[in-house]
Amino acid sequence: MSQRPAALTRPDGTPVRVLVVDDEPDLAEVVTGALRYEGWEVRSAATARAAVAEALGFRPDAVVLDIMLPDRDGLSVLRELRAAQPHVCVLFLTARDTVEDRIAGITAGGDDYVTKPFALAELVARVRGLLRRAGMTRERAASALLTVGDLEMDEDAHEVTRAGEPVELSPTEFQLLRCLMRNPRRVLSKAQLLDLVWSYDFGGQAHVVELYISYLRRKIDAGREPMIHTVRGAGYLLKPVPR
C-alpha cells in the first residue's frame, strides 16, 4: 500500500476550505467526496451566482471551477472571486482542451487546468500542489490510527478491532471501511465509494458497493449494535454506537 500523504491544513491547524463549482450533480458529488476524504471542509455550488455568494461567506482557500456554467462562464466567476479574495487558488475544470482554452483560463487568472474526464487522484493532487505553492497551508503527520466509537483501524498495520476484538478483512473491505471511518457521520454515496475504492468511472456498478457493504456488516456489526447505516436514496454512513 502506498504511504498516506501528510495531512494538509491551514496554518492555524483548521481544515483547508475548498469550493466545488459544477452544474453536473454526480460529478460535483464525487469531487466533493474525494476532497472531504482529505479531511478538508468542502462546499459546492451549481451556478455562477451561487458560487460567488457561497465564496463570500465561506472564504475558500481553493476553488475547483467548471468553465461552462448554466448562467455564465467560469472566467467571469474567477474575476469576481479574485476581486474579493486575491490569493484564492483556482483549478479550472473543462471539457475543452484546445491551446486557446488553456491560454484563456490561465490568462484570466486560473492557477491550473484539468480536462474532463479526469482521475480524482490527479485532481486532488493538483489542488494539494496549488495550496502548497501558494504557502497557504502546513503539513502535519497523518495518524495511522482511525477511531470511531469502539471501532479502531491501524492503517499501517492493516489491523481492525471492534471493542478490542480483531476483525479480519479482505483488502477491498479494508479500503471501503477506511473510507467510512475517515468520514464518520457523513453520508457517502455509492458513486463516491465506487470512485474512492474501485476507481470506477461515474456510473459504475452500484451493486458492487452494496455487496461489500453487506460483507462489512457481517464482520463489523454481527452480534452487535450496528454502526454501518443505509440512508435511503443517499448512501451509507458510519457512526459510533451511543453509550
Side-chain angles (χ1 to χ4, degrees), residues 32-206:
T32 297
L35 296 171
R36 283 179 176 157
Y37 191 66
E38 296 294 305
W40 300 342
E41 186 177 351
V42 187
R43 296 186 187 177
S44 63
T47 65
R49 183 176 181 178
V52 172
E54 188 71 62
L56 290 175
F58 184 45
R59 305 291 293 179
D61 303 297
V63 179
V64 177
L65 178 60
D66 189 7
I67 288 183
M68 301 296 291
L69 295 169
D71 45 351
R72 52 193 172 93
D73 68 68
L75 300 180
S76 65
V77 175
L78 173 60
R79 287 190 285 271
E80 288 196 49
L81 296 178
R82 286 270 192 251
Q85 198 175 343
H87 302 296
V88 66
C89 300
V90 176
L91 174 70
F92 275 128
L93 298 180
T94 181
R96 302 181 302 190
D97 190 28
T98 66
V99 172
E100 291 78 9
D101 290 326
R102 289 197 294 272
I103 291 174
I106 301 303
T107 302
D111 299 295
D112 205 349
Y113 191 104
V114 174
T115 305
K116 301 177 183 178
F118 53 83
L120 279 177
E122 178 189 1
L123 182 142
V124 172
R126 296 275 190 104
V127 175
R128 288 177 67 95
L130 290 179
L131 291 166
R132 283 199 198 94
R133 291 195 293 274
M136 300 168 59
T137 57
R138 66 180 177 87
E139 291 186 342
R140 57 179 171 80
S143 172
L145 187 65
L146 297 175
T147 304
V148 179
D150 62 355
L151 185 65
E152 289 193 351
M153 170 182 285
D154 186 324
E155 294 185 273
D156 289 343
H158 262 231
E159 294 176 349
V160 176
T161 62
R162 181 162 184 196
E165 297 182 10
V167 180
E168 297 295 329
L169 299 177
S170 71
T172 301
E173 291 166 352
F174 185 91
Q175 295 286 356
L176 178 57
L177 181 61
R178 178 161 57 181
C179 287
L180 296 171
M181 292 188 71
R182 286 187 181 177
N183 296 274
R185 301 180 186 274
R186 175 174 289 143
V187 176
L188 296 178
S189 69
K190 292 176 183 177
Q192 288 173 314
L193 291 170
L194 274 170
D195 218 281
L196 291 169
V197 179
W198 287 271
S199 299
Y200 285 5
D201 292 333
F202 314 134
Q205 299 299 312

Side-chain angles (χ1 to χ4, degrees), residues 29 33 36 176-177 179-194 196-198 205-217 221 227-239:
E29 181 182 32
R36 283 179 176 157
L176 178 57
L177 181 61
C179 287
L180 296 171
M181 292 188 71
R182 286 187 181 177
N183 296 274
R185 301 180 186 274
R186 175 174 289 143
V187 176
L188 296 178
S189 69
K190 292 176 183 177
Q192 288 173 314
L193 291 170
L194 274 170
L196 291 169
V197 179
W198 287 271
Q205 299 299 312
H207 72 272
V208 173
V209 179
E210 298 168 4
L211 181 63
Y212 274 87
I213 286 288
S214 71
Y215 292 161
L216 274 186
R217 281 181 165 141
D221 291 340
M227 295 181 67
I228 302 172
H229 300 268
T230 300
V231 179
R232 191 173 299 277
Y236 304 97
L237 82 161
L238 183 80
K239 61 181 180 180

